[in-house]
Amino acid sequence: MKAAVLDSIKAPLRVEDRPIPEPKPTEIIVRQRITGICYRDILEQDGFFPRAKFPVVPGHEITGIVTNVGSEVRGFRIADRVASLIYKPCGTCTYCMSGNENLCPNKVTYGENVDGSYAEYIAIDQKSAVKVPNGVGEYEAAIASCVTGMIVHAIRKIGNIKPGQKILITGAGGGVGSHAVEVSKLLGATVIAETSSPDKSEVLKSLGADHVVQFSERFDRKVRDIIPEGVDLALETTGNYTFEQALRSLKVGGGMIVVGNINPEPAKLPLGILILKGNSVTGSISSTRNDLGEALELAASGKFKAVIDKTYDIEDVNMAYSEIRSRKNTGKVFLKFR
Ligand SMILES: [Zn+2]
Ligand SMILES: [Zn+2]
């Protein structure tokens, strides 16, 4: 099988032939046709994840058909269609036991601590796998954990968004932001989409954005022109580029949820605003099996569609990275194996 390998920090990816992996007792072998590229994978190449093992097969947006199962696997068999969490939870810590496995301190992340999804066949643990219901497309299944499930977790579970509330989504043209626009609309919110690319406005409106705001030094003023009292919730998908303005866009008592940090420089936090307006800033990480199930249900309903920018052959993975780095993509960039 073909696999793309990252040998070390800053190295270009290298495509090589590898044997199909054999399952350990609790593992499932999944044959993939496609996988998503995540900004997290780009940050890994930049050296943002010091605990990554090298060389590593990056990638964690996993879906496909089961081709082999380990001796202790229960509930999955050959030919099942599955999607996967981006990590293997330990299954025994207090977080795992209370359904908060996204916070598991012992989790092992695919594409980082073990080989990931930039390969036609991948070994995943049965604790990571969820069956894909009928009616879910393969692109929707591939992003169900890292993108859709992560958004569901952030804005519904942590942000507790209600129909009619107003949400600001920063970096709305990107892989996370574009799908966050869709999910927020499905949950009944009014969506203000912030983007730095004027040419992404129409796409964002077609995805359901009620208002599109162009990035500027003080785009919070444009948000206030639209919603004078400020938004109920801000979903911060980019990090320090937009953090302060997103905070300034909140209404009194409003909250921000941070899910993206594409620039590792710390953000500036105006404490006076936080105190005087009683705002909250919360981080949200990844998704649980429950969130993954909800994301797949959204896709099965037919109301949620993946925003596909382009699908590259695995051999062209470095080209795909360049496109994402230039932030020209609207929606997700994928890799295909044949
Ligand atoms: Zn991802
Ligand atoms: Zn755990």
Side-chain angles (χ1 to χ4, degrees):
M1 67 165 186
K2 289 223 167 73
V5 183
L6 181 64
D7 288 311
S8 57
I9 291 167
K10 310 270 187 205
L13 283 103
R14 176 174 59 76
V15 176
E16 67 174 24
D17 271 314
R18 286 194 167 192
I20 294 169
E22 286 294 322
K24 292 185 188 130
T26 62
E27 283 181 347
I28 296 170
I29 305 300
V30 180
R31 181 180 174 191
Q32 310 184 100
R33 212 186 68 86
I34 56 150
T35 187
I37 301 179
C38 189
Y39 210 88
R40 188 179 172 128
D41 307 340
I42 310 264
L43 292 172
E44 181 176 57
Q45 189 182 41
D46 290 344
F48 198 52
F49 297 100
R51 292 196 315 154
K53 67 120 187 162
F54 291 107
V56 69
V57 175
H60 53 257
E61 302 187 353
I62 304 160
T63 189
I65 306 290
V66 175
T67 58
N68 201 352
V69 293
S71 56
E72 290 168 24
V73 169
R74 299 288 173 266
F76 295 97
R77 28 171 122 166
I78 289 171
D80 279 347
R81 202 173 156 223
V82 294
S84 175
L85 293 176
I86 76 165
Y87 58 90
K88 169 191 165 183
C90 80
T92 55
C93 72
T94 52
Y95 298 101
C96 285
M97 296 298 274
S98 58
N100 298 301
E101 61 270 23
N102 61 317
L103 299 176
C104 173
N106 312 312
K107 70 184 167 198
V108 174
T109 303
Y110 297 111
E112 202 174 297
N113 314 115
V114 288
D115 281 341
S117 67
Y118 289 11
E120 191 178 358
Y121 293 81
I122 177 172
I124 59 169
D125 191 87
Q126 61 180 346
K127 288 196 286 291
S128 306
V130 169
K131 283 186 193 164
V132 176
N134 287 336
V136 178
E138 63 181 347
Y139 288 91
E140 286 76 15
I143 63 168
S145 175
C146 187
V147 183
T148 327
M150 183 273 286
I151 293 164
V152 165
H153 190 89
I155 66 179
R156 209 174 68 70
K157 246 183 226 169
I158 309 270
N160 198 19
I161 194 136
K162 300 276 186 294
Q165 287 192 324
K166 298 164 188 82
I167 183 169
L168 167 69
I169 296 166
T170 63
V176 171
S178 54
H179 295 97
V181 171
E182 267 192 278
V183 173
S184 300
K185 281 314 279 188
L186 287 174
L187 296 175
T190 297
V191 177
I192 300 96
E194 179 275 333
T195 174
S196 55
S197 316
D199 46 335
K200 290 183 182 177
S201 279
E202 286 314 305
V203 182
L204 288 170
K205 285 188 178 151
S206 74
L207 292 173
D210 298 279
H211 308 277
V212 178
V213 167
Q214 287 299 318
F215 175 80
S216 65
E217 281 291 300
R218 289 296 305 268
F219 71 77
D220 54 297
R221 290 179 178 146
K222 298 183 196 169
V223 175
R224 297 247 168 212
D225 285 344
I226 301 163
I227 299 165
E229 73 275 20
V231 297
D232 298 277
L233 194 67
L235 184 73
E236 178 52 80
T237 82
T238 54
N240 74 350
Y241 299 110
T242 49
F243 180 87
E244 188 180 341
Q245 296 95 315
L247 186 73
R248 289 178 186 277
S249 302
L250 295 178
K251 73 171 192 185
V252 170
M256 185 197 313
I257 299 170
V258 183
V259 297
N261 184 26
I262 63 175
N263 176 345
E265 290 299 310
K268 198 171 136 204
L269 180 59
L271 297 176
I273 293 177
L274 203 65
I275 296 165
L276 290 171
K277 288 168 55 193
N279 292 141
S280 63
V281 179
T282 316
S284 180
I285 172 96
S286 197
S287 57
T288 63
R289 288 174 64 88
N290 259 335
D291 302 321
L292 174 52
E294 261 186 62
L296 290 167
E297 288 303 326
L298 273 184
S301 73
K303 292 179 200 144
F304 174 85
K305 289 278 176 220
V307 186
I308 304 165
D309 176 76
K310 199 165 170 186
T311 305
Y312 287 86
D313 285 325
I314 182 80
E315 280 87 357
D316 297 326
V317 59
N318 289 304
M319 234 173 0
Y321 270 39
S322 302
E323 190 199 337
I324 297 172
R325 282 187 185 281
S326 71
R327 291 204 251 163
K328 287 198 189 101
N329 59 302
T330 305
K332 286 290 287 186
V333 178
F334 292 86
L335 295 172
K336 67 175 192 289
F337 299 101
R338 53 178 67 209

PDB file of all heavy atoms in Angstrom, residues 36-41 60-61 86 145-147 332, ligand 1:
ATOM      1  N   GLY A  36      -8.983  13.057   5.134  1.00  0.00           N
ATOM      2  CA  GLY A  36      -8.892  14.515   5.156  1.00  0.00           C
ATOM      3  C   GLY A  36      -7.513  14.985   5.599  1.00  0.00           C
ATOM      4  O   GLY A  36      -6.834  14.303   6.358  1.00  0.00           O
ATOM      5  N   ILE A  37      -7.110  16.151   5.093  1.00  0.00           N
ATOM      6  CA  ILE A  37      -5.907  16.808   5.612  1.00  0.00           C
ATOM      7  C   ILE A  37      -6.371  17.877   6.590  1.00  0.00           C
ATOM      8  O   ILE A  37      -7.292  18.631   6.296  1.00  0.00           O
ATOM      9  CB  ILE A  37      -5.087  17.481   4.496  1.00  0.00           C
ATOM     10  CG1 ILE A  37      -4.660  16.434   3.462  1.00  0.00           C
ATOM     11  CG2 ILE A  37      -3.862  18.184   5.075  1.00  0.00           C
ATOM     12  CD1 ILE A  37      -3.855  17.031   2.306  1.00  0.00           C
ATOM     13  N   CYS A  38      -5.730  17.918   7.753  1.00  0.00           N
ATOM     14  CA  CYS A  38      -6.128  18.815   8.825  1.00  0.00           C
ATOM     15  C   CYS A  38      -5.032  19.850   9.035  1.00  0.00           C
ATOM     16  O   CYS A  38      -3.861  19.564   8.810  1.00  0.00           O
ATOM     17  CB  CYS A  38      -6.281  17.972  10.086  1.00  0.00           C
ATOM     18  SG  CYS A  38      -7.016  18.838  11.469  1.00  0.00           S
ATOM     19  N   TYR A  39      -5.409  21.037   9.494  1.00  0.00           N
ATOM     20  CA  TYR A  39      -4.359  22.030   9.777  1.00  0.00           C
ATOM     21  C   TYR A  39      -3.410  21.523  10.858  1.00  0.00           C
ATOM     22  O   TYR A  39      -2.233  21.874  10.883  1.00  0.00           O
ATOM     23  CB  TYR A  39      -4.957  23.394  10.155  1.00  0.00           C
ATOM     24  CG  TYR A  39      -4.022  24.498   9.726  1.00  0.00           C
ATOM     25  CD1 TYR A  39      -4.108  25.037   8.451  1.00  0.00           C
ATOM     26  CD2 TYR A  39      -2.987  24.923  10.556  1.00  0.00           C
ATOM     27  CE1 TYR A  39      -3.204  25.988   8.023  1.00  0.00           C
ATOM     28  CE2 TYR A  39      -2.084  25.875  10.135  1.00  0.00           C
ATOM     29  CZ  TYR A  39      -2.193  26.403   8.866  1.00  0.00           C
ATOM     30  OH  TYR A  39      -1.285  27.331   8.448  1.00  0.00           O
ATOM     31  N   ARG A  40      -3.943  20.668  11.705  1.00  0.00           N
ATOM     32  CA  ARG A  40      -3.106  20.042  12.731  1.00  0.00           C
ATOM     33  C   ARG A  40      -1.929  19.273  12.109  1.00  0.00           C
ATOM     34  O   ARG A  40      -0.821  19.240  12.659  1.00  0.00           O
ATOM     35  CB  ARG A  40      -4.011  19.094  13.517  1.00  0.00           C
ATOM     36  CG  ARG A  40      -3.373  18.509  14.736  1.00  0.00           C
ATOM     37  CD  ARG A  40      -4.389  17.608  15.446  1.00  0.00           C
ATOM     38  NE  ARG A  40      -3.715  16.898  16.503  1.00  0.00           N
ATOM     39  CZ  ARG A  40      -4.132  16.876  17.760  1.00  0.00           C
ATOM     40  NH1 ARG A  40      -5.217  17.502  18.123  1.00  0.00           N
ATOM     41  NH2 ARG A  40      -3.463  16.199  18.668  1.00  0.00           N
ATOM     42  N   ASP A  41      -2.162  18.643  10.965  1.00  0.00           N
ATOM     43  CA  ASP A  41      -1.087  17.899  10.284  1.00  0.00           C
ATOM     44  C   ASP A  41       0.012  18.850   9.809  1.00  0.00           C
ATOM     45  O   ASP A  41       1.201  18.530   9.840  1.00  0.00           O
ATOM     46  CB  ASP A  41      -1.640  17.127   9.073  1.00  0.00           C
ATOM     47  CG  ASP A  41      -2.831  16.251   9.439  1.00  0.00           C
ATOM     48  OD1 ASP A  41      -2.999  15.930  10.622  1.00  0.00           O
ATOM     49  OD2 ASP A  41      -3.612  15.906   8.518  1.00  0.00           O
ATOM     50  N   HIS A  60      -5.513  11.845  10.665  1.00  0.00           N
ATOM     51  CA  HIS A  60      -6.395  11.258  11.691  1.00  0.00           C
ATOM     52  C   HIS A  60      -7.859  11.344  11.273  1.00  0.00           C
ATOM     53  O   HIS A  60      -8.733  11.187  12.098  1.00  0.00           O
ATOM     54  CB  HIS A  60      -6.172  11.988  13.016  1.00  0.00           C
ATOM     55  CG  HIS A  60      -6.307  13.475  12.850  1.00  0.00           C
ATOM     56  ND1 HIS A  60      -5.220  14.310  12.790  1.00  0.00           N
ATOM     57  CD2 HIS A  60      -7.392  14.254  12.647  1.00  0.00           C
ATOM     58  CE1 HIS A  60      -5.640  15.548  12.581  1.00  0.00           C
ATOM     59  NE2 HIS A  60      -6.959  15.541  12.475  1.00  0.00           N
ATOM     60  N   GLU A  61      -8.133  11.680  10.009  1.00  0.00           N
ATOM     61  CA  GLU A  61      -9.530  11.801   9.575  1.00  0.00           C
ATOM     62  C   GLU A  61      -9.864  10.526   8.803  1.00  0.00           C
ATOM     63  O   GLU A  61      -9.657  10.431   7.607  1.00  0.00           O
ATOM     64  CB  GLU A  61      -9.698  13.108   8.797  1.00  0.00           C
ATOM     65  CG  GLU A  61      -9.286  14.270   9.710  1.00  0.00           C
ATOM     66  CD  GLU A  61      -9.546  15.663   9.167  1.00  0.00           C
ATOM     67  OE1 GLU A  61      -9.945  15.801   8.002  1.00  0.00           O
ATOM     68  OE2 GLU A  61      -9.353  16.618   9.947  1.00  0.00           O
ATOM     69  N   ILE A  86     -10.231  10.628  16.416  1.00  0.00           N
ATOM     70  CA  ILE A  86      -8.874  10.948  15.954  1.00  0.00           C
ATOM     71  C   ILE A  86      -7.826  10.364  16.898  1.00  0.00           C
ATOM     72  O   ILE A  86      -6.641  10.487  16.668  1.00  0.00           O
ATOM     73  CB  ILE A  86      -8.666  12.465  15.769  1.00  0.00           C
ATOM     74  CG1 ILE A  86      -8.487  13.185  17.106  1.00  0.00           C
ATOM     75  CG2 ILE A  86      -9.810  13.097  14.996  1.00  0.00           C
ATOM     76  CD1 ILE A  86      -7.925  14.604  16.930  1.00  0.00           C
ATOM     77  N   SER A 145     -15.451  13.019  12.871  1.00  0.00           N
ATOM     78  CA  SER A 145     -14.872  13.169  14.204  1.00  0.00           C
ATOM     79  C   SER A 145     -14.147  14.498  14.352  1.00  0.00           C
ATOM     80  O   SER A 145     -14.480  15.316  15.203  1.00  0.00           O
ATOM     81  CB  SER A 145     -13.893  12.022  14.474  1.00  0.00           C
ATOM     82  OG  SER A 145     -13.252  12.231  15.701  1.00  0.00           O
ATOM     83  N   CYS A 146     -13.153  14.724  13.487  1.00  0.00           N
ATOM     84  CA  CYS A 146     -12.266  15.878  13.680  1.00  0.00           C
ATOM     85  C   CYS A 146     -12.948  17.195  13.378  1.00  0.00           C
ATOM     86  O   CYS A 146     -12.625  18.220  13.975  1.00  0.00           O
ATOM     87  CB  CYS A 146     -11.014  15.756  12.827  1.00  0.00           C
ATOM     88  SG  CYS A 146      -9.838  17.053  13.193  1.00  0.00           S
ATOM     89  N   VAL A 147     -13.902  17.197  12.458  1.00  0.00           N
ATOM     90  CA  VAL A 147     -14.519  18.468  12.069  1.00  0.00           C
ATOM     91  C   VAL A 147     -15.951  18.560  12.623  1.00  0.00           C
ATOM     92  O   VAL A 147     -16.217  19.315  13.556  1.00  0.00           O
ATOM     93  CB  VAL A 147     -14.499  18.647  10.536  1.00  0.00           C
ATOM     94  CG1 VAL A 147     -15.074  20.005  10.151  1.00  0.00           C
ATOM     95  CG2 VAL A 147     -13.079  18.510   9.999  1.00  0.00           C
ATOM     96  N   LYS A 332     -12.563  21.774   2.928  1.00  0.00           N
ATOM     97  CA  LYS A 332     -11.536  20.776   3.239  1.00  0.00           C
ATOM     98  C   LYS A 332     -10.780  20.303   2.005  1.00  0.00           C
ATOM     99  O   LYS A 332     -11.338  20.151   0.928  1.00  0.00           O
ATOM    100  CB  LYS A 332     -12.200  19.538   3.841  1.00  0.00           C
ATOM    101  CG  LYS A 332     -12.669  19.695   5.261  1.00  0.00           C
ATOM    102  CD  LYS A 332     -11.546  19.788   6.259  1.00  0.00           C
ATOM    103  CE  LYS A 332     -10.863  18.456   6.494  1.00  0.00           C
ATOM    104  NZ  LYS A 332      -9.879  18.583   7.593  1.00  0.00           N
TER     105      LYS A 332
HETATM  106 ZN    ZN B   1      -8.327  16.861  11.728  1.00  0.00          ZN
END
